[in-house]
Every structure is written in C-alpha cells, then in structure tokens.
Amino acid sequence: MPADVNALITEYGYWALFIGCLAEGETFTLLGGVAAHEGLLHYGWVLLVTACGGILGDTALFFLGRYYGTSILKRFKKHEDKITSANQLIRKRPVLFVIGVRFMYGLRIVGPIIIGASRLRPATFLMLNVIGALLWATLFVSLGYLGGQVIAPWLHALDHHIKQLFWLVLAIALVWGARFTFRRYKHSK
C-alpha cells in the first residue's frame, strides 16, 4: 500500500523545510507555504522553521568565512572583482548587504562567506541575519501560501492516485533542480 503523501508531509514536513532552508531555501519555503495553505502544516510554524533554517545555515557559512574565508575565496579567481565589489558594499552598507544577500541570485551560499571574511562583527551579522531571514521567510512562505490558493482547486479536483503522482513528479523536479543548481555552482568555481 503506497504511503499517503499528505501524511508524510504532515509528519516530516517541518524537518524537510528546516534541512532544505539550511543552504538553499526558496523552493522549500514556497512549498512550505503551499502545504500551509492546504492545512498540512501550520503557517506560523512554517515561517519559524524556514527562518531558523536560513539563520542557522547563513550563520554557519559566516563563521566558515570568518575562519577560512580568505583561502576559500581565493578559489574564485574569475569572480575576484565581484568579491571586491561585495566587500566594498559590506563596508559602506552592511545593513543592506547582510539583509539583502539572501535575495541576491548567485550569492545565496557564497555571500555569507564573503561577509565572514570581511571581518564584520559577529553580533552585527547575527542581528541583521535574523532580520533578513524573517523578511525572507515571510515573503517566500506567503508567496507559496498565496500560490496554494491557485494550485489547491486543481489538487482537490484530481483523484487520489493522480495527486500522488503529481507530488512524486514535483519531488523529482525539485531534486533535479537542486542538482542542476549545485552543478552550476560547482562549475562556477
């Protein structure tokens, strides 16, 4: 007997969100919003879990950058000018950069490492990281929740087996998308 996808989401959804938001979170955060709309997860808990995953992931990357950032960033020879520009922006506008880095395409992973290597004070980073994560989580969870209003009528119209197939195809697409993103990031080094 196949597992009930809704029961799996209800049982493990918060853990999946947390783990997914440690490094890359937009897809997981949007899906968490859709699950909240469907009543499988609670909207407030989805916000909290995604924000905590984002905070913890970026904090780990910040401290990685703080202690090993110079040697890590030396590997990005072809992006040296962008790293220099990022460091200048961190010095001039740390609030804007730290809060905004999670919204900047291509800097989601390396951004906190650059910030850590820039020697921004940890207390300043942590405060701004929390603010940025809360804004980020609220935006993407809400977009997923609102998107759920569009998706929900279609999902309810499908019979049980087609709905399971939909979730399976969606999961495969997400894994493929994550692999594609990782490979693209790995080749940009």
Side-chain angles (χ1 to χ4, degrees), residues 55 99 102 126-136:
I55 291 166
I99 290 175
R102 68 180 66 247
L126 292 174
M127 179 187 66
L128 296 173
N129 186 35
V130 168
I131 293 168
L134 290 171
L135 291 171
W136 171 80

Side-chain angles (χ1 to χ4, degrees), residues 59 92 105 120 138 168:
T59 300
K92 290 180 184 175
Y105 181 76
L120 183 70
T138 301
L168 177 65

Side-chain angles (χ1 to χ4, degrees), residues 53-172:
I55 291 166
L56 185 61
D58 282 7
T59 300
L61 291 169
F62 171 82
F63 282 107
L64 181 70
R66 187 139 181 104
Y67 296 107
Y68 305 105
T70 304
S71 60
I72 292 170
L73 295 174
K74 283 181 183 176
R75 296 178 185 192
F76 294 95
K77 291 282 187 201
K78 67 180 185 177
H79 299 291
E80 195 172 314
D81 56 332
K82 293 177 184 175
I83 293 169
T84 302
S85 297
N87 276 315
Q88 291 171 350
L89 188 56
I90 292 167
R91 281 192 295 280
K92 290 180 184 175
R93 307 232 189 267
V95 173
L96 178 67
F97 193 86
V98 174
I99 290 175
V101 75
R102 68 180 66 247
F103 297 98
M104 296 178 199
Y105 181 76
L107 287 177
R108 182 73 175 94
I109 303 291
V110 75
I113 295 172
I114 294 170
I115 297 167
S118 76
R119 295 300 187 203
L120 183 70
R121 291 180 335 123
T124 302
F125 172 79
L126 292 174
M127 179 187 66
L128 296 173
N129 186 35
V130 168
I131 293 168
L134 290 171
L135 291 171
W136 171 80
T138 301
L139 175 68
F140 283 98
V141 170
S142 297
L143 286 172
Y145 190 88
L146 293 172
Q149 290 178 345
V150 173
I151 295 170
W154 295 344
L155 292 177
H156 292 299
L158 299 174
D159 98 337
H160 183 68
H161 299 291
I162 295 174
K163 187 174 181 181
Q164 286 182 348
L165 181 61
F166 170 79
W167 285 111
L168 177 65
V169 169
L170 184 61
I172 291 169

Side-chain angles (χ1 to χ4, degrees), residues 18-40:
F18 181 76
I19 292 167
C21 291
L22 284 172
E24 191 286 320
E26 286 78 12
T27 303
F28 291 95
T29 308
L30 288 166
L31 289 175
V34 172
H37 180 271
E38 287 297 294
L40 301 172

